[in-house]
Amino acid sequence: MGTVEPQVASGQDVKMASSGQIVANAQSQEATDGFHLVIDALKLNGIDTIFGLPGIPITDFTRMAQAAGLRVISFRHEQNAGYAASIAGFLTQKPGICLTVSAPGFLNGLTALANATTNCFPMILISGSSEREIVDLQQGDYEEMDQLAIAKPLCKAAFRVLHAEDIGVGIARAIRAAVSGRPGGVYLDLPAKLFAQTMDAEAGKKSLIKVVDPAPKQIPGADAVKRAVDLLKGAKKPLIVLGKGAAYAQADADIRALVEKTGIPYLPMSMAKGLLPDTHEQSAAAARSYVLPEADVVMLIGARLNWLLSHGKGKTWGGKDHKDWGGQKFIQVDISPQEADSNVRIDAPVVGDIGSCVSALLASIGSSWPKPPAEWLTAIAERKNKNIAKMAETLAKNPTPMNFHSALNVVRDIVKANPDALLVNEGANALDFTRSIVDMYQPRKRLDVGTWGVMGIGMGFAVAAAVVSKQPVIAIEGDSAFGFSGMEVETLCRYNLPVCVVVFNNNGVYRGTDVNPTGGPDVAPTVFVKGARYDKLIEAFGGVGAHATTPAELRKAMEEAVRSRKPTLINAVIDETAGTESGRITSLNPTSGKKK
Ligand code: FYN
Ligand code: ADP
């Protein structure tokens, strides 16, 4: 328990009355304060790291947290600290903590909080805030903002603590809200005055709560499991889709057993890659556009039928038009009962935590489950092998200048040789090509733009991945995407993190070839400074910079980075004509209906 000097005469006990005034009695000598109660409550609940950015009113808090043994990772921009916290939550199942200053700092962290909620990552954004009386009367305080009201619609839950004796409850509620049920982002508002409040140390200690069973198991109903298994039994062309909820659940062995015992082909969503090794013979990733419309029964495990799965309908699923259903029957394994029927009919919802659901499914299928019909498996294998062979051909080419494929062929080898390494990935083409070219071999190693396709997660995710896992991290970044968090290379260097950033530099957003149609002096909106040397950025902070124009140079630099574990940034020069508008999601760009 952290203690502070009492603010009353020695020999007297101090206590906060609900009015916020200090009440003294002559019992004990020790007092604590809001700063220490927050730190103690976090520590009591197993939180060991805070990602944040110091400033009024939380500067002293960061110092005290560090002094109390918490790891405090300071960033250059709150959004990156927020992304770091959110992915730490995904990796550990404990809420990632992001700490920011009031109004603008809070807003900077809010994007990451909203992104965490959208992606079902457990995270708590703790923000200092200004004086309530002044904020509520809108009298123009320093960094005045009604942060709680603004955060509420963007997160799973939002709380404010006004009195030191309520800190224990506030932290407990935030933890439970973040990790129980469908995980998500939680906002915790701590006004500046709270930190300074003092109370009796013993009473403070007693007010803290160690949360018991923060993410309780949710056991699926036996009838729901039977319904799902019956449906699966009758399938001629079954398919399993694994989503990042399945990766989050850390039920790796059971998920693998379910896939292997049933013999059903599976499709990993982006962040579920590696849950089973991508080289697994049952992976249908390389036959995606064949299996989705052809499957008759699809079991979704921790994957939503959102835009990434074309809402479960339309041509992707064999529907005649974009709103037509393809006729598949769906089983959906998910912790959120409201998720079912969000887009199309779910014939067999199985609601519960994935660990419990998968183990119930395993028990129900028993040991003599018939393999899916051979025609289905053969047809998939044919498509898949054709695609893989085509890909191998493309990867073997060595064009000048280097393109996405020849560069990613190197990354693919490095990841294969270092399966423990985490791969962070963002961009448009840099994202899409990496996803299909670079195989993953272990669960929760691929961290990317997620449900929103957000740009800017790169360095925040890389920092947290290195801090949490202690493993090497490889960040494959489009040059545009890198720009959102590029300043954090200083953070990589400051904490000496084993992160190898590879910037795929093709001189612009998507490509570097657009021209200004007016012929004016400004370049086109998608074009950057040509021939930029991103490697020089990290050198400014003592990291290793490398400039690679060929696959051989890239290989050498990446091998050295992984071997040395030194923070490294490789400027990988990619053909500026390579890449397509928005990568694989060009169709999402609106085109004018106006006749020319
Ligand atoms: C996949 N594929 C492969 C392999 N893996 N071929 C050979 N070898 C391997 N290992 C094939 C796969 O069958 C597909 O071909 C193709 O590669 C692409 O696979 P992918 O990426 O799984 O599928 P697709 O259609 O791109 O998936 C749709 C999507 C995805 C929406 C899920 O595009 C996605 O996750 N997009 C995120 C985009 C994003 O967020 N961008 C950031 C904003 S960019 P076919 O079967 O022949 O189709 C702002 O501008
Ligand atoms: P992807 O983008 O990989 O398809 P989504 O983010 O769409 O994945 O889906 C993840 C799903 O997983 C969400 O619907 C969420 O409710 C669910 N989920 C997250 N954690 C768990 C868990 N522990 N048990 C069950 N379902 C979970």
Side-chain angles (χ1 to χ4, degrees):
M1 185 83 189
T3 53
V4 292
E5 287 298 307
Q7 294 183 355
V8 291
S10 119
Q12 289 185 323
D13 188 12
V14 282
K15 199 173 173 204
M16 287 303 303
S18 52
S19 62
Q21 285 175 335
I22 295 170
V23 182
N25 66 40
Q27 292 274 315
S28 86
Q29 302 202 332
E30 284 195 68
T32 186
D33 59 15
F35 289 109
H36 290 91
L37 285 165
V38 175
I39 292 164
D40 292 340
L42 292 173
K43 284 180 71 176
L44 184 65
N45 284 288
I47 304 289
D48 53 17
T49 309
I50 293 176
F51 304 93
L53 205 162
I56 298 170
I58 48 103
T59 314
D60 269 351
F61 179 86
T62 60
R63 293 191 184 107
M64 292 178 197
Q66 188 173 53
L70 285 167
R71 187 149 196 217
V72 181
I73 305 288
S74 281
F75 283 76
R76 305 303 293 261
H77 190 289
E78 291 89 351
Q79 193 175 101
N80 305 318
Y83 287 138
S86 71
I87 209 66
F90 171 75
L91 290 169
T92 63
Q93 296 184 325
K94 281 196 281 186
I97 307 292
C98 174
L99 181 70
T100 75
V101 303
S102 26
F106 155 77
L107 286 173
N108 287 342
L110 198 55
T111 307
L113 186 71
N115 186 63
T117 308
T118 300
N119 281 279
C120 317
F121 298 157
M123 162 183 175
I124 303 174
L125 173 66
I126 301 181
S127 283
S129 60
S130 299
E131 199 154 328
R132 285 252 45 87
E133 296 90 321
I134 304 181
V135 172
D136 288 347
L137 279 170
Q138 297 177 27
Q139 293 175 308
D141 201 4
Y142 167 73
E143 297 195 344
E144 176 180 298
M145 178 173 278
D146 188 358
Q147 297 171 194
L148 187 73
I150 289 166
K152 249 180 201 165
L154 296 171
C155 59
K156 193 176 164 191
F159 307 101
R160 176 185 291 133
V161 182
L162 291 177
H163 302 296
E165 66 264 35
D166 294 330
I167 286 173
V169 169
I171 299 276
R173 300 216 71 192
I175 291 172
R176 278 201 188 279
V179 297
S180 63
R182 172 183 276 178
V186 175
Y187 176 60
L188 188 61
D189 193 274
L190 303 183
K193 271 189 177 173
L194 176 80
F195 292 105
Q197 285 177 23
T198 57
M199 69 183 286
D200 172 65
E202 196 49 38
K205 189 173 179 181
K206 283 192 188 139
S207 73
L208 301 185
I209 295 173
K210 182 166 168 48
V211 177
V212 176
D213 197 10
K217 276 190 181 166
Q218 297 192 21
I219 315 289
D223 54 339
V225 173
K226 182 175 183 311
R227 193 184 297 121
V229 170
D230 286 348
L231 188 54
L232 211 52
K233 225 176 246 165
K236 301 264 179 304
K237 298 175 172 183
L239 176 70
I240 294 174
V241 176
L242 299 174
K244 60 178 160 330
Y248 174 79
Q250 299 193 15
D252 309 335
D254 273 0
I255 289 172
R256 185 168 182 154
L258 183 69
V259 171
E260 291 183 341
K261 281 196 173 159
T262 58
I264 297 175
Y266 73 94
L267 193 64
M269 297 301 287
S270 198
M271 281 178 59
K273 275 168 73 76
L275 203 41
L276 287 84
D278 278 338
T279 46
H280 196 285
E281 65 161 350
Q282 284 172 253
S283 169
R288 187 181 201 270
S289 61
Y290 174 72
V291 291
L292 292 181
E294 287 293 322
D296 60 354
V297 175
V298 178
M299 178 153 72
L300 303 156
I301 306 184
R304 287 169 285 186
L305 283 177
N306 56 17
W307 71 280
L308 290 156
L309 281 169
S310 305
H311 306 282
K313 59 192 166 197
K315 291 189 176 158
T316 306
W317 292 88
K320 284 193 194 66
D321 209 348
H322 79 287
K323 285 234 166 191
D324 290 329
W325 299 8
Q328 290 82 1
K329 301 238 182 247
F330 287 100
I331 299 163
Q332 184 157 36
V333 180
D334 204 288
I335 203 153
S336 165
Q338 291 176 51
E339 189 53 42
D341 304 330
S342 59
N343 285 276
V344 294
R345 181 186 309 112
I346 300 298
D347 304 273
V350 182
V351 176
D353 69 279
I354 283 171
S356 301
C357 292
V358 171
S359 97
L361 287 164
L362 266 174
S364 179
I365 64 164
S367 52
S368 56
W369 185 267
K371 292 265 175 288
E375 309 86 80
W376 176 230
L377 302 183
T378 316
I380 295 172
E382 259 171 34
R383 259 63 175 202
K384 175 177 154 177
N385 293 339
K386 211 155 93 191
N387 263 350
I388 290 177
K390 211 163 88 192
M391 176 77 86
E393 223 173 85
T394 317
L395 293 178
K397 290 182 187 149
N398 190 2
T400 308
M402 182 159 72
N403 65 9
F404 286 103
H405 288 88
S406 57
L408 283 167
N409 191 33
V410 173
V411 178
R412 178 182 158 99
D413 289 347
I414 305 277
V415 170
K416 188 174 181 186
N418 299 280
D420 291 334
L422 286 92
L423 183 79
V424 172
N425 188 202
E426 62 175 336
N429 294 285
L431 174 88
D432 291 339
F433 286 126
T434 305
R435 187 178 59 247
S436 51
I437 293 171
V438 178
D439 289 329
M440 306 306 298
Y441 300 88
Q442 294 177 17
R444 293 171 297 284
K445 296 293 186 185
R446 187 185 153 84
L447 311 173
D448 69 24
V449 303
T451 307
W452 265 350
V454 68
M455 296 294 110
I457 48 91
M459 297 304 100
F461 275 21
V463 168
V467 165
V468 165
S469 74
K470 317 262 188 293
Q471 300 293 338
V473 176
I474 297 167
I476 303 299
E477 299 277 310
D479 50 353
S480 164
F482 174 70
F484 289 75
S485 66
M487 189 63 202
E488 303 296 347
V489 294
E490 189 271 337
T491 311
L492 299 180
C493 294
R494 191 165 11 108
Y495 294 102
N496 195 25
L497 297 172
V499 176
C500 171
V501 183
V502 183
V503 177
F504 278 12
N505 184 356
N506 65 351
N507 294 339
V509 182
Y510 310 130
R511 276 185 305 261
T513 50
D514 273 10
V515 288
N516 179 343
T518 70
D522 290 347
V523 295
T526 56
V527 169
F528 295 149
V529 166
K530 302 220 176 199
R533 291 290 300 270
Y534 291 99
D535 48 317
K536 300 285 177 198
L537 264 179
I538 202 165
E539 287 176 357
F541 306 108
V544 178
H547 181 62
T549 58
T550 64
E553 287 170 358
L554 178 59
R555 190 179 298 273
K556 184 161 172 277
M558 285 190 80
E559 280 173 351
E560 180 55 21
V562 175
R563 194 201 56 73
S564 72
R565 295 178 67 100
K566 286 187 186 150
T568 300
L569 193 157
I570 305 168
N571 184 52
V573 180
I574 304 290
D575 183 356
E576 70 168 2
T577 66
T580 51
E581 182 99 359
S582 310
R584 300 258 315 162
I585 52 174
T586 309
S587 60
L588 297 184
N589 286 304
T591 46
S592 171
K594 198 176 112 190
K595 294 221 166 64
K596 290 226 171 101

